[in-house]
Amino acid sequence: MKIATAYSTLSDTEAATTESYQQLERKLGGCPQLLFAYYAAPYDSAMVSRLLSEAAGPGCQLHGATSCLGSMTDEGFHSEEGVGMSLWGLDDPEGSYGTGMADIGTDPAEAAVAALEQALEQSGRIGEVPTLVWINGAPGEEEALIAGIESLLGADVPIAGGSSGDNTVTGEWAQIANGEFRQSAVVVTVLFPSTEISYAFHSGYDPTQTRGVATRCEGRTLIEIDGRPAAEVYNEWTGGAIAEVLPEGGNVLALTTLFPFGRVAGEVGGLPYYKLSHPDGVTREGGLTLFSIVEEGETLILMQGTIDSLVRRAGRVTDAAVEAGDFRPDQLVGGLAIYCAGCMLTVEPKMDEVAGYIHNALNQTPFVGVFTFGEQGCFVANDNAHGNLMISVVAFSNQPVEH
């Protein structure tokens, strides 16, 4: 197995796509078998998909999505005036890979099944269970997309990926696959690698002693905590973090990144691990809109993070992914990383450091990192989940899979 990455920050779509693909092919020594493309929303997605598919040829599976402001690789953070593109190419002649895409429409679970069935057909491994499912979808229906995949494969197959991002949170995201593009779709790749891979999914935030019960919810709107307006309670919990928005309501995305809600997702060795929900808006009625579903009766824990923890945790999560693998660190050949766009925007001047921590944890091998509006991953207890402000990492090795 061989992995290579490339990038461009040219503003012209054709020039950036051509530059990055030519770089990738030189590093890889030929056309990739599997190609991931992550790029800022101002680029022309239809052109990116068409040019990459034509360049890589019919033997390559192409999977991609927009990523907030740009992306990162082992060479750093790639964004110039809100544009940047990164490619990740894999050559694994003994492995099998397939990509599919479907419009989410009114039945997101069924869309995920349709995309997954396409991907399995493209891989030539119909009837077999993949080692990993990699997913990028339009934001908003992530829980249902995971449920759709699990309805076909069961809950034991790890799912990892993230929701497409744009630069302005205005729905300008897109998804691409094998020469096509969509704006409200899910793209799925099934991986049957010939070598061992491993993964990790973490929040990296610390729980506080402050907590309450979600007493009224409607989908992704948290209306009440402990019988009181959710925004009012959250403002008290955080010492007035959203006070300026309470009277009229409005966007609080940038004000809440360091203080998300956490829910216990499980325990390992007696220690709980958490999935996060990021408040992004205050409603006129005093509710909080979130980037993930909260159920009535769930205990919500106020979590806390710092700029330093958001920078360093990417390396720690990558370390955890490597440690989970059935291989030595010197057998690493590359990785994939999902890093929340909200966290990236909070620590943007330090994003080269974030990339450096991941690169070091992957033993200086190539990786691509995507800035998403929702993160999907598999916890250590093999639970697939959707969360916010999370990091999801997959590590690839050259250790052959034992059959």
Side-chain angles (χ1 to χ4, degrees):
M1 176 185 286
K2 185 176 182 182
I3 291 171
T5 60
Y7 73 92
S8 176
T9 54
L10 296 175
S11 59
D12 178 76
T13 300
E14 184 172 5
T17 307
T18 301
E19 179 183 62
S20 55
Y21 183 78
Q22 287 177 349
Q23 272 185 52
L24 182 81
E25 201 170 81
R26 281 196 301 271
K27 292 181 180 179
L28 200 59
C31 294
Q33 183 178 353
L34 175 63
L35 176 59
F36 288 138
Y38 293 107
Y39 55 94
Y43 288 124
D44 182 333
S45 290
M47 182 180 291
V48 171
S49 191
R50 177 178 59 80
L51 290 174
L52 289 176
S53 287
E54 289 174 354
C60 176
Q61 295 294 301
L62 169 64
H63 173 140
T66 51
S67 171
C68 182
L69 293 190
S71 41
M72 63 177 164
T73 70
D74 42 289
E75 295 186 65
F77 175 58
H78 310 307
S79 179
E80 292 287 342
E81 298 183 355
V83 296
M85 173 183 299
S86 297
L87 304 181
W88 183 96
L90 174 145
D91 183 32
D92 178 22
E94 302 303 315
S96 300
Y97 303 87
T99 300
M101 182 168 65
D103 287 313
I104 290 174
T106 58
D107 191 338
E110 183 55 39
V113 169
L116 177 59
E117 288 176 337
Q118 286 178 38
L120 288 166
E121 184 174 352
Q122 290 290 330
S123 75
R125 304 283 286 267
I126 294 176
E128 298 182 55
V129 176
T131 303
L132 176 78
V133 174
W134 185 256
I135 181 173
N136 295 113
E141 300 289 352
E142 292 89 347
E143 293 91 350
L145 296 176
I146 290 173
I149 292 170
E150 291 187 338
S151 73
L152 195 64
L153 296 179
D156 293 334
V157 176
I159 300 168
S163 310
S164 312
D166 65 10
N167 290 4
T168 52
V169 203
T170 53
E172 295 178 351
W173 45 72
Q175 306 79 40
I176 64 173
N178 296 332
E180 299 184 358
F181 94 101
R182 300 282 190 276
Q183 287 191 291
S184 183
V186 57
V187 56
V188 169
T189 290
V190 292
L191 291 86
F192 297 87
S194 65
T195 59
E196 296 285 351
I197 67 171
S198 60
Y199 47 87
F201 186 46
H202 285 265
S203 79
Y205 285 68
D206 295 319
T208 69
Q209 294 301 310
T210 304
R211 57 198 62 204
V213 175
T215 48
R216 189 176 166 209
C217 307
E218 289 180 6
R220 292 189 169 190
T221 301
L222 174 62
I223 301 171
E224 292 180 356
I225 300 172
D226 294 334
R228 297 175 55 212
E232 183 180 308
V233 174
Y234 179 85
N235 191 57
E236 291 174 6
W237 284 5
T238 56
I242 60 171
E244 64 192 69
V245 187
L246 279 184
E248 300 293 329
N251 189 290
V252 294
L253 197 62
L255 303 175
T256 58
T257 300
L258 298 180
F259 301 101
F261 293 115
R263 288 166 289 159
V264 175
E267 289 189 0
V268 172
L271 295 175
Y273 54 88
Y274 304 87
K275 58 182 176 182
L276 305 184
S277 291
H278 188 183
D280 70 299
V282 174
T283 70
R284 287 188 175 274
E285 295 75 30
L288 288 171
T289 55
L290 311 171
F291 275 114
S292 52
I293 293 173
V294 169
E295 304 285 352
E296 290 181 3
E298 287 189 307
T299 297
L300 304 178
I301 301 158
L302 183 68
M303 308 291 284
Q304 62 183 2
T306 64
I307 298 294
D308 185 62
S309 70
L310 295 187
V311 171
R312 293 178 179 273
R313 70 177 181 146
R316 292 197 296 270
V317 178
T318 309
D319 283 333
V322 173
E323 289 166 7
D326 188 20
F327 49 81
R328 303 185 311 273
D330 64 1
Q331 292 179 299
L332 284 161
V333 294
L336 296 166
I338 296 290
Y339 190 88
C340 169
C343 296
M344 178 274 291
L345 292 169
T346 301
V347 302
E348 187 179 346
K350 294 178 175 288
M351 281 307 300
D352 279 330
E353 287 183 47
V354 174
Y357 282 120
I358 298 174
H359 190 207
N360 289 336
L362 287 171
N363 199 32
Q364 308 289 315
T365 58
F367 80 92
V368 72
V370 195
F371 308 129
T372 51
F373 285 172
E375 295 72 55
Q376 294 87 58
C378 187
F379 287 114
V380 67
N382 289 330
D383 299 323
N384 293 311
H386 163 66
N388 310 140
L389 302 168
M390 307 281 284
I391 298 178
S392 192
V393 174
V394 180
F396 293 75
S397 77
N398 62 13
Q399 171 66 33
V401 173
E402 292 185 9
H403 295 286

